[in-house]
């Protein structure tokens, strides 16, 4: 049974002070802390299918995220694995707290690569 509070608490409590390049691992572990098993992938950009297999549904955009929602962002030059993060109810967190929205850094915010938002139902 999905517990978005437990997932959000996990990702918040384990966030580092800055990115360590482990967004997928941290978000996957947060999802597991929320009671759902997700098959690991090599790259964050490839988590769409495992999330759908685990009962997440794909939503249109990230304008109204809810606690426990997961965003999967496609790669940009220099970041071939893409990015993923979880919304904790007030902000996006991956392996660090993202203070500027769901895009993890200036390069992402400038290039605005495609993304998909997932919510467990």
């Amino acid at each position: 049974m999905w517990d978005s509070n437990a997932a959000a608490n996990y990702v918040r409590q384990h966030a580092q002070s800055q990115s360590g390049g482990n967004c997928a691992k941290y978000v996957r572990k947060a999802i597991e802390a929320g009671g759902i098993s997700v098959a690991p992938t090599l790259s964050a950009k490839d988590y769409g299918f495992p999330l759908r297999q685990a009962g997440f549904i794909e939503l249109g955009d990230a304008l109204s995220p809810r606690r426990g929602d997961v965003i999967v962002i496609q790669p940009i030059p220099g970041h071939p694995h893409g990015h993923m993060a979880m919304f904790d109810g007030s902000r996006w967190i991956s392996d660090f707290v993202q203070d500027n929205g769901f895009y993890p850094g200036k390069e992402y915010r400038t290039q605005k690569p495609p993304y998909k938002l997932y919510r467990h139902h």
Side-chain angles (χ1 to χ4, degrees), residues 13-82:
Q13 291 169 359
H14 290 83
Q16 304 297 305
S17 60
Q18 61 187 16
S19 175
N22 292 307
C23 62
K25 176 182 174 184
Y26 277 62
V27 173
R28 179 178 51 80
K29 288 186 172 221
I31 293 167
E32 290 172 354
I36 302 293
S37 181
V38 177
T41 70
L42 178 62
S43 295
K45 68 180 177 67
D46 297 326
Y47 263 91
F49 181 69
L51 286 169
R52 289 190 304 273
Q53 280 189 313
F56 284 77
I57 56 170
E58 187 180 308
L59 304 175
D61 60 46
L63 296 178
S64 300
R66 293 184 193 163
R67 181 181 297 115
D69 284 358
V70 176
I71 195 156
V72 175
I73 305 171
Q74 293 307 297
I76 59 172
H79 299 275
H81 296 289

Side-chain angles (χ1 to χ4, degrees), residues 2-15 27 30 64-71 85-94 96-99 101-102 117-118:
W2 175 237
D3 183 343
S4 61
N5 290 320
N9 288 339
Y10 181 95
V11 78
R12 190 180 314 113
Q13 291 169 359
H14 290 83
V27 173
S64 300
R66 293 184 193 163
R67 181 181 297 115
D69 284 358
V70 176
I71 195 156
M86 177 178 282
F87 192 69
D88 79 339
S90 60
R91 53 197 172 170
W92 291 97
I93 302 174
S94 52
F96 71 104
V97 176
Q98 300 176 197
D99 291 322
F102 61 84
L117 183 68
Y118 297 88

